Amino acid sequence: QAQLEESGGGLVQAGGSLRLSCAASLRVFRNNAMGWFRRAPGKEREFIAAISWSGESLWYTDSVKGRFTISRDNTKRTGYLQMNNLKPGDPAVYYCATRDGGGWGGLYENWGQGTQVTVSS
């Protein structure tokens, strides 16, 4: 059984919204920070957002700042990435990941399989 499982990807028009979810097992979720990454065809994986275990510390890469919102519900062991005003540069496979420890900086050890996001113009 997957330790992290993303859902919510799909096809959306430019300017539209999607909310990605990441359901996690207790082992990889508890006390761990969570990050969202994406990989577009022909490009390297990009770190786009992160949230600490407490939810008090957030980080976004510049290209998604102001459009994407990361959050988590620790009672449900689920993380979220709300994506608004999607642009032609956003299509990719989106991955959630967690890292041991509460802070979001550092190596991420646990990964989901990814969910595809496609944006039509």
Side-chain angles (χ1 to χ4, degrees):
Q1 185 175 0
Q3 305 277 6
L4 291 166
E5 187 169 359
E6 303 92 340
S7 61
L11 173 64
V12 64
Q13 285 189 325
S17 299
L18 284 174
R19 187 172 87 150
L20 305 183
S21 298
C22 178
S25 69
L26 182 63
R27 186 186 74 79
V28 301
F29 189 84
R30 183 175 58 187
N31 297 326
N32 289 354
M34 175 175 283
W36 285 91
F37 298 74
R38 65 185 181 186
R39 175 172 280 165
K43 296 186 177 180
E44 293 189 354
R45 187 175 63 200
E46 180 185 15
F47 184 27
I48 61 171
I51 185 169
S52 62
W53 160 250
S54 68
E56 295 179 352
S57 179
L58 307 177
W59 174 86
Y60 300 94
T61 194
D62 285 346
S63 62
V64 307
K65 201 173 294 183
R67 300 189 298 123
F68 291 10
T69 302
I70 189 171
S71 62
R72 64 191 297 160
D73 185 336
N74 289 350
T75 65
K76 297 181 179 179
R77 298 204 310 269
T78 301
Y80 304 97
L81 185 68
Q82 176 67 43
M83 305 187 295
N84 297 329
N85 189 21
L86 283 159
K87 298 181 177 181
D90 293 322
V93 178
Y94 283 70
Y95 301 89
C96 66
T98 63
R99 65 177 303 275
D100 295 341
W104 54 260
L107 182 67
Y108 282 73
E109 298 96 351
N110 312 298
W111 291 84
Q113 294 299 305
T115 185
Q116 178 72 49
V117 171
T118 304
V119 180
S120 64
S121 57

